[in-house]
Amino acid sequence: MPSPLSADHPAAQPPGRGQVDSLITQTRRLKGEVDAVRRDAQDDATDPRGRWQRALCDLALHQLDDLDAHLAQLRDGPPAPPPPPQPLPPGESPLSRVGSAEWNLLTDEAFWSPELYGIVGRDPATAPLTLDELPSLLHDEDRPRLTAMVTGCLIDAKPIDGEFRVVRPDDEVRTVHMMGEPVLDADGSTTSMWAVLRDVSELRRSQRAVRETRDSLHPRRHPAQPEHRIAAEPRDAEPPTWPGPLRLPHHPSGTLDVAARHLPAPTGSPIGGSWYDSVELPGGDTLLGVGGLTAHSPDVTSTLAMTLGALRGMAMSGAGPAQLLSWLDQLLDAGDAPTLCSTLCCRYRPATRTLAWAQAGHPAPLLFRDGTGRRLDAPDGVLLGSTSGTAHGQAEATLEEGDLLLLHTDGLVPAAGPDTADRLLDLAPRLVGRATAQDCARLIVEEFGDGDREDDACVLVARVTR
């Protein structure tokens, strides 16, 4: 989908070359070491352990190649405008595996990025396919799945998240992961639909090789119930949140008392993508954040860990929240796994009690003062991973002693219920009367913990104590 850069929102600048060059050097050194381990693994077709070791090394090398390319893009910044599009061979680079599309239902116009033409093997000179024509690209068995996803998106405004097989003109079959959402008008009617499509063929092939060789090591460990095993694996993992009450060291002025809670999804639901984080930065500032991935999958824990690690690492550079979100957007957009992430990122300066914050498709912070609460005015921002090169706005607010700041995700109440922020604002008199951030977090868990939620949720409370 088109993402022109506005003159009022210049493109985000990449981080310092020296820091990223160092990461690139470490990545390439690690690639060499992994390759050496692979060469030492026994190349014996009759040895299950040797086949498993080599398959695992191949997967690690594949992911390190992608990391190398992603870091190079982060160092160099957004690419220059491309020349007239040409068909892109699949797997040429990590970036050629990511395409986008948008279908306007009012004008019947469609837009495909050059990368999408390359993924499906179509001539860029031809017109993009309409939604009705799109299933013709798929394997016969997968067409009903795509039709059901598109229908649910257009009729019921459901997000699209699924994989299917694309059969290219040369009969090569590629695995494509599609994520998208409808665009609604003021009346709630669908006016268009956008999607991000990623060629995950190589990644799935490597994962399958690791799984098959691993299973061959212990053929009797699991009964022949692959569906049950795969469904159970995500429940063994938890989002990388703090294990208990989250508290920060005291600052010399404008001290923050911080606590947070993760409310799990209902039993039987897939692992959720909600997260929270807080860390003291060099110079005494504090990073606060909450967010959530829009997809649920067995890879969600590793994606969350990567997101939090990247956010923390880039925050150490001193960059503001808007710049951090722009960099994180570039990183997620260049990844293999299709990822859309809503994020609320705040940087608190204790010396001036100033809160700088930015959002990417996420609810604004709630500020409670003198027994009442309100939403802070939100700057511009869109979901991370939805469109490349988007600049995020940044807002600031001055806090006072006794103020209570509340960051939350959307999953606290059912989708059909009242607005989450409104429910939290109704708690203003009771929240302000609590002595600590931990007491406030406990109150919210008491109010929302037993609710009929459809998803997991996170809440983070920060009180200015002096």
Side-chain angles (χ1 to χ4, degrees):
M1 68 204 73
S3 57
L5 297 178
S6 165
D8 295 331
H9 298 85
Q13 296 301 311
R17 294 179 65 92
Q19 180 183 11
V20 181
D21 279 334
S22 176
L23 292 174
I24 293 174
T25 300
Q26 295 176 45
T27 300
R28 293 175 179 174
R29 183 182 300 117
L30 182 58
K31 285 167 55 180
E33 294 172 355
V34 173
D35 188 54
V37 172
R38 182 186 182 280
R39 291 195 301 268
D40 291 340
Q42 296 184 15
D43 189 10
D44 184 352
T46 64
D47 179 21
R49 177 171 293 275
R51 295 201 312 272
W52 170 76
Q53 290 174 340
R54 291 180 65 84
L56 199 59
C57 288
D58 287 338
L59 177 59
L61 288 171
H62 173 77
Q63 294 174 330
L64 286 171
D65 284 338
D66 285 350
L67 178 60
D68 191 357
H70 301 164
L71 290 172
Q73 185 194 31
L74 185 63
R75 176 194 61 194
D76 300 335
Q86 298 295 327
L88 295 175
E92 178 180 316
S93 74
L95 301 183
S96 70
R97 294 194 294 268
V98 183
S100 59
E102 184 171 1
W103 293 272
N104 190 313
L105 304 183
L106 302 180
T107 63
D108 290 330
E109 293 179 313
F111 169 84
W112 281 20
S113 70
E115 293 81 7
L116 181 53
Y117 277 100
I119 290 173
V120 302
R122 283 178 59 84
D123 184 352
T126 61
L129 298 185
T130 66
L131 287 173
D132 291 334
E133 298 168 332
L134 192 61
S136 65
L137 296 175
L138 272 58
H139 190 284
D140 291 344
E141 296 178 356
D142 295 347
R143 291 178 183 178
R145 184 186 313 157
L146 176 62
T147 300
M149 289 193 299
V150 172
T151 301
C153 181
L154 299 182
I155 304 301
D156 300 323
K158 294 180 179 179
I160 286 180
D161 182 6
E163 288 187 9
F164 44 77
R165 291 165 292 176
V166 169
V167 182
R168 293 163 52 92
D170 58 3
D171 292 331
E172 182 183 9
V173 178
R174 309 295 294 180
T175 302
V176 175
H177 193 124
M178 181 177 183
M179 297 183 69
E181 291 185 353
V183 178
L184 308 179
D185 61 15
D187 297 328
S189 300
T190 303
T191 60
S192 62
M193 189 190 90
W194 62 262
V196 175
L197 298 96
R198 299 181 185 241
D199 185 346
V200 295
S201 305
E202 298 302 325
L203 180 62
R204 296 293 178 257
R205 187 175 296 114
S206 297
Q207 291 173 334
R208 184 166 57 252
V210 170
R211 184 171 60 251
E212 291 173 351
T213 54
R214 179 194 62 201
D215 291 346
S216 69
L217 291 174
H218 307 284
R220 299 178 183 176
R221 171 174 293 184
H222 301 292
Q225 296 177 338
E227 299 86 356
H228 176 74
R229 186 182 71 236
I230 294 173
E233 285 174 352
R235 299 303 306 167
D236 296 335
E238 289 294 337
T241 55
W242 298 93
L246 183 154
R247 302 184 66 87
L248 294 174
H250 289 291
H251 297 292
S253 85
T255 301
L256 282 183
D257 175 24
V258 181
R261 285 290 183 270
H262 173 256
L263 285 73
T267 303
S269 299
I271 183 172
S274 297
W275 58 268
Y276 65 81
D277 197 16
S278 179
V279 63
E280 186 175 1
L281 302 172
D285 289 0
T286 299
L287 177 72
L288 303 169
V290 296
L293 303 181
T294 62
H296 301 271
S297 73
D299 298 326
V300 68
T301 301
S302 60
T303 304
L304 281 173
M306 182 276 291
T307 301
L308 290 178
L311 186 60
R312 281 188 168 200
M314 293 185 292
M316 296 295 176
S317 69
Q323 181 66 82
L324 292 177
L325 292 186
S326 294
W327 288 342
L328 191 59
D329 189 30
Q330 293 180 42
L331 185 61
L332 292 176
D333 185 61
D336 269 319
T339 304
L340 294 175
C341 182
S342 71
T343 304
L344 175 58
C345 180
C346 306
R347 190 181 188 108
Y348 177 69
R349 305 184 188 100
T352 59
R353 292 195 181 124
T354 301
L355 180 79
W357 66 283
Q359 61 86 22
H362 199 89
L366 305 181
L367 177 62
F368 296 85
R369 178 183 296 168
D370 299 329
T372 62
R374 65 180 179 89
R375 295 178 177 88
L376 296 183
D377 294 333
D380 293 336
V382 298
L383 282 172
L384 302 181
S386 62
T387 179
S388 60
T390 300
H392 293 79
Q394 182 168 303
E396 290 194 357
T398 300
L399 305 185
E400 300 177 1
E401 182 176 343
D403 280 355
L404 184 72
L405 190 71
L406 196 154
L407 282 57
H408 68 92
T409 60
D410 268 335
L412 284 173
V413 298
D419 180 74
T420 302
D422 289 340
R423 285 278 307 274
L424 290 168
L425 290 172
D426 289 342
L427 298 177
R430 299 166 63 187
L431 285 172
V432 175
R434 300 282 168 143
T436 66
Q438 180 60 33
D439 289 338
C440 294
R442 186 178 298 112
L443 170 62
I444 294 171
V445 171
E446 292 171 355
E447 291 292 325
F448 295 92
D450 295 329
D452 187 20
R453 287 187 310 280
E454 300 169 1
D455 206 345
D456 68 328
C458 287
V459 61
L460 185 149
V461 181
R463 181 187 290 277
V464 181
T465 57
R466 62 178 182 180

